[in-house]
Amino acid sequence: MDPRRIIWRVYHTISLLHTGRLFRHIHWRGDMDIAPIFGVIITTPFHPPPTLVFWRTPPVGSYKINTDGCVKDGFASGGGIIRDSSGQCIRAFFSFYGDCTILEAELRAILDGIILAQRLGLSVLWVESDSTLAIHCITKGGGPWHIQATIRHIRHLLALDRDTITHIYREGNQVADLLASKGWDRRCYHEYSSQDLPRRHRSLVQIDRFGLPTVRGL
């Protein structure tokens, strides 16, 4: 219980934690002035400036499918919406996938959206998802074995020389995100027409149609 030995051990432990990069800026909140005593240099983390995210309408004669996957408490769901070149809702859906990963949920939502569009006789599709990994798996290949059948099915239905698949930030994909959450709540497959789309979903569709942005990074 020698005071100098206790002080030395505290100092040594803090130095080890800092060397191992286990300290973060938040850990020194309120004690920034004593950090240099332990040899800890605190740098203010960089936060990129906020950016505006817009949902873009597809070209005339084509249709846009926005999809999203959701995993809560080990269970997955997905949802999506198909819109025309004026931003009007053609059809929306949500589905429950049960026990699967978020990547599988994202891919299955994309597949469900494409199947729905083709069942409606729609062609020249623009698929948009907020999952960069799902898009990479479809366009570049790769990924775990259990998603390969879904990827092959998507590629079979999509003509990448005619159709498009791109990434959008989640802030611009709010309608699909809300539908995916509803799939988890309802735990079934369901479709909406433009007439029976819930009020909150219709409001978000209108926001996208009017070209109003959402803010990313606040």
Side-chain angles (χ1 to χ4, degrees), residues 4-218:
R4 289 173 298 180
R5 182 170 180 79
I6 293 173
I7 292 171
W8 180 86
R9 292 187 65 177
V10 169
Y11 177 88
H12 182 65
T13 301
I14 291 176
S15 297
L16 284 177
L17 292 171
H18 175 61
T19 304
R21 298 186 178 182
L22 298 178
F23 276 132
R24 299 290 183 268
H25 186 272
I26 193 173
H27 296 151
W28 291 91
R29 182 180 296 171
D31 297 306
M32 296 292 186
D33 53 336
I34 67 169
I37 297 175
F38 299 95
V40 176
I41 306 301
I42 302 297
T43 57
T44 303
F46 172 74
H47 295 288
T51 55
L52 298 180
V53 178
F54 296 86
W55 180 85
R56 306 289 183 183
T57 55
V60 175
S62 63
Y63 299 88
K64 194 174 198 181
I65 308 171
N66 281 85
T67 65
D68 193 24
C70 169
V71 173
K72 300 178 186 176
D73 299 329
F75 294 102
S77 60
I81 181 170
I82 305 173
R83 286 174 275 192
D84 61 17
S85 58
S86 67
Q88 293 278 12
C89 172
I90 303 297
R91 194 67 61 87
F93 72 94
F94 60 76
S95 187
F96 183 69
Y97 303 132
D99 182 12
C100 69
T101 65
I102 182 60
L103 176 57
E104 189 174 359
E106 297 279 5
L107 290 168
R108 290 178 66 175
I110 291 171
L111 179 59
D112 284 346
I114 297 170
I115 291 173
L116 175 59
Q118 296 195 347
R119 178 159 57 83
L120 296 172
L122 308 178
S123 59
V124 190
L125 304 176
W126 178 358
V127 179
E128 204 167 51
S129 168
D130 56 23
S131 172
T132 53
L133 182 55
I135 293 171
H136 185 275
C137 290
I138 295 168
T139 58
K140 305 296 183 182
W145 65 268
H146 65 272
I147 65 170
Q148 294 306 312
T150 306
I151 292 173
R152 285 194 298 269
H153 198 173
I154 292 171
R155 286 178 172 173
H156 176 72
L157 296 177
L158 276 182
L160 293 179
D161 58 338
R162 179 199 65 194
D163 302 321
T164 305
I165 181 165
T166 57
H167 173 264
I168 186 172
Y169 288 121
R170 185 179 181 184
E171 289 80 1
N173 203 35
Q174 293 188 58
V175 184
D177 180 69
L178 193 59
L179 286 161
S181 296
K182 188 170 284 290
W184 193 92
D185 293 334
R186 299 275 295 273
R187 308 210 170 192
C188 63
Y189 180 84
H190 183 76
E191 292 180 14
Y192 292 114
S193 67
S194 58
Q195 286 74 34
D196 60 4
L197 197 65
R199 179 178 296 179
R200 184 180 175 191
H201 298 66
R202 290 202 307 269
S203 298
L204 292 174
V205 169
Q206 288 295 92
I207 288 172
D208 288 342
R209 283 192 66 212
F210 294 151
L212 300 176
T214 51
V215 182
R216 173 180 174 82
L218 284 180

